[in-house]
DNA sequence: CACTCGAAGTTCCCTAAGGGAACCCCGATT
DNA sequence: AATCGGGGTTCCCTTAGGGAACTTCGAGTG
């Protein structure tokens, strides 16, 4: 399909999409996060083609988001999130929050999140890292940064 | 390419991907958010094929994320974020934050975010909606919710 | 009125990516 | 020696994305 690649764009959103923007990649990370971490498990859970799963896993490993770990003397492997990958899961939690709010409908959210610190069922909330007040799409101005395109 | 559709999965991440998971969709939302909101502008800014841009815009409108708005007596339109779409931009800010941290390199972030409330250059931080403490991937347990698959 | 312009698509062909099923490899078990 | 099961690889087919040319429609110009 000769897909355009986003890596060269001077945009952190595009670059992030170059890492996890392909179809299935976020769901693979979700599975690994949730403990579904072996090839056949992921393949069966998602219903993804084995060929594509291989490609995605290799790409995620190349990008430093997953690592491949032997769990037996036999050639058996499980996939784990790296620190870089674990921070991507924050993104998945925000996605899940949006889906819960706008797409879950009558049935309610399929998954609940219990926060260790307070023990309550909760969700993520976006705050300004500087002042701690809510920070949403309409609460910011965009300015060119040091890495902006020439 | 007979792509699998994610809509029917009992997972808010998958359902969200069904709305904005196709290649280009998040970048289209980013453009509209940043004020690049007309067909030819978006097409030129992204370098996306006109055919695919048409498909993506229609899908985003169908999903209630964008709306098409005439800005002239002539058939001229601009695209705007709905409330549903504006909340998706929160997701884009989290993506941008991850890209800034892990992919920007020496050059630094291409775009800076100035928070209206405090006037500072900042970024988003994920907090528990219930207790206000940090809430990241490792800080939660996943539990089946009311909309979980049978 | 005829001509041109520009925004916003639409159409067509070509290539490459995803789906699916069959096949392969390799160490362990029987 | 034969089987098993995890973890892929290979092959073919279909369809989505890229790219460029073409269309449509109202406005402005001479």
């Amino acid at each position: 399909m000769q897909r355009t690649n986003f890596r060269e764009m001077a945009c952190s959103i595009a670059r992030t999409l170059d890492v996890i923007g392909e179809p299935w990649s976020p769901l693979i990370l979700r599975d690994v996060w949730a403990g579904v971490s072996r090839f056949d498990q992921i393949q069966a859970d998602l219903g993804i083609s084995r060929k594509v799963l291989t490609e995605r896993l290799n790409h995620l490993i190349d990008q430093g988001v997953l690592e491949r770990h032997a769990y037996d003397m036999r050639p058996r492997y499980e996939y784990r999130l790296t620190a870089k990958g674990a921070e991507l899961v924050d993104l998945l939690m925000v996605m899940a929050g949006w889906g819960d709010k706008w797409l879950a409908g009558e049935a309610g959210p399929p998954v609940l999140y219990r926060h260790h610190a307070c023990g309550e069922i909760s969700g993520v909330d976006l705050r300004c890292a500087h002042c701690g007040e809510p920070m949403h799409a309409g609460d910011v101005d965009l300015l060119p940064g040091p890495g902006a395109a020439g």
Side-chain angles (χ1 to χ4, degrees), chain A residues 58 132 137-138 143:
Chain A
N58 287 335
L143 307 172

Side-chain angles (χ1 to χ4, degrees), chain A residues 59-85:
Chain A
H59 183 244
L60 292 169
I61 291 166
D62 288 348
Q63 298 297 320
V65 159
L66 289 182
E67 57 188 17
R68 192 161 172 269
H69 210 263
Y71 68 87
D72 196 309
M73 290 300 100
R74 283 175 289 186
R76 298 296 138 89
Y77 307 96
E78 63 185 13
Y79 296 90
R80 294 181 183 175
L81 291 166
T82 62
K84 190 174 175 181

Side-chain angles (χ1 to χ4, degrees), chain A residues 2-146:
Chain A
Q2 88 256 57
R3 189 141 63 209
T4 308
N5 91 318
F6 297 159
R7 191 163 37 253
E8 303 306 327
M9 295 182 180
C11 170
S12 287
I13 297 169
R15 290 173 184 157
T16 300
L17 288 171
D18 198 65
V19 177
I20 49 148
E22 292 167 293
W24 294 112
S25 290
L27 297 180
I28 293 168
L29 291 186
R30 175 204 71 182
D31 268 18
V32 172
W33 176 41
V36 179
S37 58
R38 299 178 188 173
F39 191 94
D40 280 20
Q41 288 177 340
I42 299 171
Q43 194 272 321
D45 183 61
L46 296 180
I48 185 178
S49 131
R50 304 176 74 79
K51 183 183 69 158
V52 175
L53 179 54
T54 302
E55 289 167 10
R56 293 295 179 273
L57 288 170
N58 287 335
H59 183 244
L60 292 169
I61 291 166
D62 288 348
Q63 298 297 320
V65 159
L66 289 182
E67 57 188 17
R68 192 161 172 269
H69 210 263
Y71 68 87
D72 196 309
M73 290 300 100
R74 283 175 289 186
R76 298 296 138 89
Y77 307 96
E78 63 185 13
Y79 296 90
R80 294 181 183 175
L81 291 166
T82 62
K84 190 174 175 181
E87 293 190 23
L88 270 180
V89 175
D90 288 358
L91 181 60
L92 300 185
M93 290 199 295
V94 177
M95 283 180 75
W98 188 88
D100 285 347
K101 173 167 179 181
W102 293 98
L103 307 173
E106 296 280 305
V111 174
L112 300 174
Y113 299 85
R114 184 167 54 204
H115 189 210
H116 291 166
C118 65
E120 299 293 323
I121 301 298
S122 182
V124 291
D125 197 18
L126 271 64
R127 298 268 165 175
C128 173
H130 188 267
C131 71
E133 292 299 305
M135 185 165 171
H136 297 284
D139 302 331
V140 296
D141 289 327
L142 304 184
L143 307 172

